Every structure is written in structure tokens, then in C-alpha cells.
């Protein structure tokens, strides 16, 4: 921004115009791609460019990864940087910050760079020599940052270390997720805690990748649907408190082993969990009481609260960490009266629970649309769900970004006259001579059957293709790659 400002000043633009134009500056895509590597590893592919500033960003991103304890760096020489003593000093300093287990340098100038004695260090003159010697390095159980200048063509290395994947991928933009998180956060008073729903593997968009980002952004709580999702996050090094929405008895062992916190939604679950803790000799285990104020899925109904309290008062195995409820229609103005009724019933029940158990706990009722439409009900914490993933059906107040893109490539292109049809049952009738492409995606890749027969849309290089009444396998297009937009991902 400073550079732009100075250039514009030099060129004689006035202050107002400069200010206006600076507002139009967009942050650069960081190009950091997190991929699944072979032998239990993660690859951070940042092989587009190399300079100290982007190296610092990439090392920072590397340090946010907790899924494997070992961190490694493959670094090529720099392009376009003058190799001064000052530059060398800066680079050395940067490399010593990240507590790296191993650094592999490519380029003989890097021979002069020394790093801490705890870091294993190898220098190769060029990428080819590294590729020939790749077997000498152990990359298992590691997060590996591949960072290099274009001319070193490190994409060959990243291809070699990455697990083979199909050409059909669901890309998740972590920057967009972070942006959406900040949008909702801006709606919260400073004392309001933020719980983020990462159930069903973050609404289908990932697991530790997203949890690491949320942990880095200091959210207060994560929530999963089942204990095994929570266990996976713990094994990937996620330390945040994690609530489990649906804690089956068979999962109690995992819940305790991985320090997960169950939602208690019925007398049966409460008794069973207390009995389990008793057998293990544990006390004061944090639990979350779910109150049913109108959703009528899980939770204690008002008439069951007395029985729950009686049980709670007789024991010291569990400790209420929070009591919460779920709003049915927080974003629907026609349901305003019902929402208000839910909130006041909730408040009445919570007061009663607090009075009887004699200590306070976290109170929360707002989901995504509650955050936007009911700031008066934020209480101690809110639970952000679908909005984080870029979908908020009830509000346009926030500037949300699309998070997921389902991408594939074209297998074959055909030119067909108008008289032909495409696909099963001759359903794909052409309205004119057409160019038809077959793409590498099917139902097994998550492409919904509902998108068939002309319902779904695909984009080729950013342009929506003409919609045809044809089967899902085929679409008209001219160039690579195809990009599909799933318009709906509500669970
Ligand atoms: C899924 C879920 C949420 C999040 O709801 P959104 O509408 O996606 O924000 C909040 N609370 C509970 C109990 C949930 O199961």
C-alpha cells in the first residue's frame, strides 16, 4: 500500500483519489496449498515464487499445522534477490525461528546458510539431484513446506511427495473461511465466546485443516457430531475444548481418552455417563446440558429438568460447563414470536438450573442466523455453523465468501450435429450443432443426482456453460478446466 501511495503521489494524484483507489486493493492470493502427502504427511506447496516476505508467510502457515509433530522445509535459492550479508543474516534468522527438524536446500549459494544444530541440513546443487536422492530422506509423520522460485520447478517434487489423487477435487479456500469467521466475529461483543461447529468434518469441507485455522484464530470451542471426529482432531494436535453433540455410550471411552466434552441430552445419557465416570474414578468431568425449547430433536424438555437436577445434585462426577438450546427459526421474521418464546423459556430453565446447582456455567443459544438477527441473545457464547462455510440463507448483512469449489477436468470433446442426442434415454436433445465435453466426475465424487437433467450448472474457465437437458456426465464446453459450483451444501 505504501508503494502504491508513493507512486500515485509522484504521479500527481490527489489524496481523495489515492484513498479511493487504495480501498480497491485486494489481498494477494497466498498460493499456499495444503495437500495430503504419502506415508502420513502433509505437503504445503508454495512453489510459485520465492522471496523473504512470502517465505515468512509460508513458515508461519507451517507453524500452524499440528497434525504431525515434525516440520520440514525444502527451499530453493532465491530469484531476483541481491545476495548481501544483510540478506543472508535475515534468511538465517527466519530459518532458525520455526524449530525445523530438517532443511533441504537447493542451489549452491545456500551452502553458506547455517542453521541450528538441531536441524538436519542437506544441500543439493539443483532439483534433479534432489529428485535422484529423494529416497535418502524420511518424510513420514511430517509437515513439509516446499518453497521455491519458479525456475527450480519444485512442482515435480510436490507431485512426487503428494498422494496420487483423481483430477476431481473439492478445493477449500482457507482464506475465505478465515474471512467469513472475521465477518461473524465483528458482530460479537468482546466478552462473547465463539464456538464453531466443525461437525460432519466441517460441513464436508475438511477436518484438522480447518480446526488448525480456527485454533490459530483463537476461537473458544469446537463442536463435532460424533466422538470419532473429535478423536481425529485430537490426534492431529488440536488442543481447543471440543463438544460432542451425539455421545453414544460406546464412545464414552474415546470421549474421556481424548478429553472431549459430551452433550447431555437425556436422563438416560446422564446416568450412563455418570456411571462410566464412577467406574473410572473421575470427578468434575465437563458436560454440556442440551435443553429442548422447541427444536424437538435432542434435549431435555421442561418437564424433565427437575429429574435431571435431582441426579446432578446427588453426584460430583460431572460438572456443568454449559447449558444451551437451539433456535428453530432465528432468521425468519415470521417466527419472531416463537424465537422470543424459545429464548425466554431457555432463560427460565437456565436460571432454575443455576439456582439449584449453585455455580454458573456458559449460556448459549444462537446459531449462525441467531448471531446476525438476535444480538440480544448472544449471552456468553454463540455457535457459528453454516455461515462460516459461506452460506447464510437469512441475511445479506455480511460479506461472505464462497469456500468450496468442486473441480474436475475434461476427458473428451465431441462435435455433434443438432440431430444427435446425448446420454441415457436420449434425454440430452441438442438444440443446435454443439460441442460436447465429457468430464471426470460422477455421483461417487459427491456430484448430486439432483444436478442431472439440466438442473446443475458447470463453469469452464469461469464461464457458466449453456444448460442442457442432459445427464450429469456431460456438459458443453470449450476449454479446460471445468469448475462446478454447488449451489447448496446445507446438511
Ligand atoms: C449445527 C448446529 C449449530 C449450527 O447451526 P447453523 O444453523 O449451521 O449455524 C448450532 N447448534 C447446534 C446444536 C447444532 O447442531
Amino acid at each position: 500500500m505504501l508503494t502504491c501511495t508513493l507512486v500515485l503521489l509522484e504521479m500527481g494524484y490527489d489524496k481523495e483519489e489515492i484513498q479511493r483507489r487504495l480501498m480497491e486493493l485486494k489481498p494477494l492470493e497466498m498460493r499456499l496449498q495444503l495437500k495430503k502427502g504419502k506415508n502420513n504427511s502433509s505437503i504445503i506447496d508454495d512453489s510459485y515464487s520465492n522471496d523473504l516476505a512470502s517465505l515468512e508467510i509460508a513458515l508461519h502457515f507451517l507453524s500452524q499445522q499440528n497434525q504431525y509433530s515434525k516440520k520440514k522445509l525444502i527451499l530453493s535459492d532465491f530469484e531476483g534477490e541481491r545476495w548481501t550479508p544483510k540478506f543472508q543474516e535475515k534468511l538465517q534468522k527466519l530459518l532458525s525461528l520455526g524449530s525445523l527438524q530438517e532443511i533441504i536446500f537447493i542451489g549452491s549459494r545456500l551452502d553458506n546458510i547455517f542453521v541450528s544444530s538441531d536441524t538436519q541440513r542437506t544441500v543439493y546443487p539443483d532439483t534433479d539431484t534432489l529428485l535422484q536422492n529423494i529416497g535418502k530422506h524420511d518424510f513420514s509423520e511430517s509437515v513439509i513446506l516446499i518453497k521455491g522460485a519458479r525456475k527450480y520447478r519444485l512442482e515435480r517434487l510436490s507431485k512426487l511427495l503428494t498422494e496420487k489423487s483423481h483430477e476431481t477435487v473439492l478445493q477449500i479456500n482457507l482464506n475465505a473461511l478465515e474471512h467469513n469467521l472475521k465477518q461473524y466475529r465483528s458482530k460479537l461483543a468482546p466478552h462473547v465466546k465463539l464456538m464453531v461447529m466443525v461437525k460432519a468434518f466441517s460441513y464436508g469441507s475438511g477436518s484438522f485443516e480447518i480446526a488448525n485455522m480456527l485454533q490459530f484464530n483463537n476461537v473458544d470451542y469446537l463442536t463435532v457430531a460424533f466422538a470419532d471426529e473429535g478423536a481425529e482432531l485430537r490426534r492431529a494436535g488440536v488442543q481447543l475444548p471440543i463438544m460432542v453433540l451425539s455421545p453414544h455410550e460406546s464412545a464414552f471411552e474415546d470421549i474421556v481418552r481424548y478429553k472431549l466434552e459430551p452433550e447431555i441430552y437425556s436422563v438416560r445419557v446422564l446416568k450412563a455417563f455418570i456411571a462410566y465416570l464412577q467406574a473410572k474414578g473421575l470427578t468434575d468431568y465437563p458436560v454440556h446440558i442440551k435443553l429442548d425449547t422447541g427444536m424437538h430433536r435432542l434435549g431435555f424438555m421442561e418437564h424433565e429438568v427437575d429429574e435431571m437436577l435431582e441426579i446432578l445434585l446427588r453426584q460430583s462426577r460431572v460438572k456443568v460447563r454449559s447449558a444451551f438450546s437451539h433456535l428453530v427459526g432465528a432468521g425468519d421474521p415470521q417466527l419472531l414470536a416463537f424465537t422470543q418464546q424459545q429464548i425466554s423459556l431457555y432463560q427460565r430453565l437456565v436460571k432454575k438450573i443455576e439456582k439449584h446447582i449453585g455455580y454458573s456455567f456458559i449460556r448459549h443459544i444462537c446459531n449462525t442466523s441467531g448471531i446476525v438477527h438476535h444480538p440480544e441473545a448472544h449471552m456468553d457464547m454463540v455457535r457459528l455453523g453454516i455461515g462460516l462455510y459461506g452460506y447464510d440463507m437469512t441475511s445479506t448483512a455480511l460479506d461472505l465468501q464462497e469456500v468450496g469449489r468442486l473441480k474436475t477436468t475434461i476427458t473428451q470433446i465431441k462435435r455433434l450435429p443438432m440431430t444427435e442426442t446425448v446420454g441415457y434415454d436420449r434425454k440430452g436433445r441438442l438444440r443446435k450443432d454443439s460441442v460436447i465435453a465429457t468430464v471426470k466426475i460422477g455421483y461417487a465424487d459427491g456430484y448430486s443426482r439432483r444436478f442431472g437433467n439440466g438442473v446443475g450448472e458447470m463453469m469452464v474457465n469461469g464461464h457458466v456453460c449453456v444448460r442442457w437437458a442432459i445427464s450429469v456426465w456431460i456438459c458443453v464446453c470449450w476449454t479446460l478446466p471445468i469448475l462446478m459450483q454447488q449451489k447448496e451444501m446445507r446438511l
Side-chain angles (χ1 to χ4, degrees), residues 234-441:
R234 284 281 183 261
R235 286 195 295 265
V238 174
Q239 312 263 341
L240 285 174
I242 300 177
M243 178 168 90
V244 179
L245 290 172
S246 193
H248 191 262
E249 260 179 72
S250 62
F252 286 170
E253 198 179 324
D254 267 0
I255 285 185
V256 170
R257 181 191 308 157
Y258 291 106
K259 294 195 166 53
L260 309 173
E261 304 176 8
E263 165 185 318
I264 302 292
Y265 55 85
S266 72
V267 166
R268 177 179 57 84
V269 177
L270 179 59
K271 282 182 175 166
F273 194 55
I274 289 172
Y276 181 81
L277 294 172
Q278 196 153 7
K280 294 274 159 189
L282 296 168
T283 52
D284 285 338
Y285 200 93
V287 298
H288 302 263
I289 303 290
K290 172 79 163 286
L291 301 165
D292 184 353
T293 56
M295 182 68 99
H296 297 334
R297 302 197 305 208
L298 299 181
F300 291 92
M301 300 284 286
E302 183 171 16
H303 68 267
E304 295 167 315
V305 168
D306 285 333
E307 192 184 353
M308 172 196 71
L309 280 173
E310 236 170 74
I311 300 170
L312 277 180
L313 287 172
R314 282 201 313 258
Q315 57 82 50
S316 59
R317 299 290 165 192
V318 302
K319 179 141 195 205
V320 178
R321 182 86 176 94
S322 89
F324 70 106
S325 190
H326 201 13
L327 294 174
V328 168
D332 185 347
Q334 291 190 339
L335 294 178
L336 184 62
F338 190 79
T339 303
Q340 283 163 346
Q341 191 183 313
Q342 276 195 285
I343 295 170
S344 54
L345 172 57
Y346 170 78
Q347 275 165 336
R348 206 165 66 238
L349 296 179
V350 156
K351 241 187 220 135
K352 184 171 177 176
I353 298 170
E354 213 160 39
K355 191 175 128 209
H356 280 80
I357 63 176
Y359 55 87
S360 59
F361 42 79
I362 305 172
R363 296 160 306 145
H364 50 118
I365 196 167
C366 282
N367 63 337
T368 297
S369 29
I371 294 173
V372 181
H373 297 278
H374 293 279
E376 79 286 356
H378 285 180
M379 303 182 203
D380 303 320
M381 183 157 81
V382 295
R383 301 188 305 274
L384 176 60
I386 193 98
L388 178 71
Y389 308 97
Y391 294 82
D392 190 341
M393 267 64 82
T394 64
S395 149
T396 49
L398 296 171
D399 161 36
L400 297 183
Q401 291 179 1
E402 190 183 274
V403 165
R405 282 182 170 194
L406 189 56
K407 281 185 159 183
T408 189
T409 53
I410 291 173
T411 316
Q412 193 179 27
I413 295 179
K414 290 189 174 132
R415 287 172 190 282
L416 295 175
M418 190 171 74
T419 50
E420 293 296 311
T421 61
V422 185
Y424 280 128
D425 303 324
R426 305 205 71 195
K427 283 225 175 112
R429 293 191 183 284
L430 305 181
R431 276 166 285 185
K432 56 177 186 186
D433 296 351
S434 302
V435 181
I436 302 291
T438 302
V439 294
K440 290 191 183 73
I441 189 168

Side-chain angles (χ1 to χ4, degrees), residues 135-199:
K136 291 185 185 155
H137 299 272
D138 175 17
F139 292 119
S140 63
E141 306 289 330
S142 313
V143 187
I144 307 139
L145 169 62
I146 301 178
K147 177 78 189 151
R150 255 295 173 71
K151 78 168 192 205
Y152 288 88
R153 297 188 39 227
L154 293 186
E155 61 274 10
R156 292 177 290 165
L157 191 64
S158 126
K159 221 180 219 168
L160 198 72
L161 298 180
T162 310
E163 252 187 13
K164 277 259 175 309
S165 66
H166 298 270
E167 283 168 81
T168 299
V169 291
L170 179 65
Q171 276 191 342
I172 304 299
N173 183 342
L174 291 174
N175 289 338
L177 272 170
E178 204 165 20
H179 168 89
N180 294 343
L181 180 72
K182 285 177 181 155
Q183 289 284 306
Y184 283 98
R185 214 174 220 163
S186 73
K187 296 277 163 200
L188 304 180
H191 73 275
V192 178
K193 291 184 196 303
L194 182 58
M195 174 182 256
V196 179
M197 315 308 282
V198 293
K199 60 188 175 194

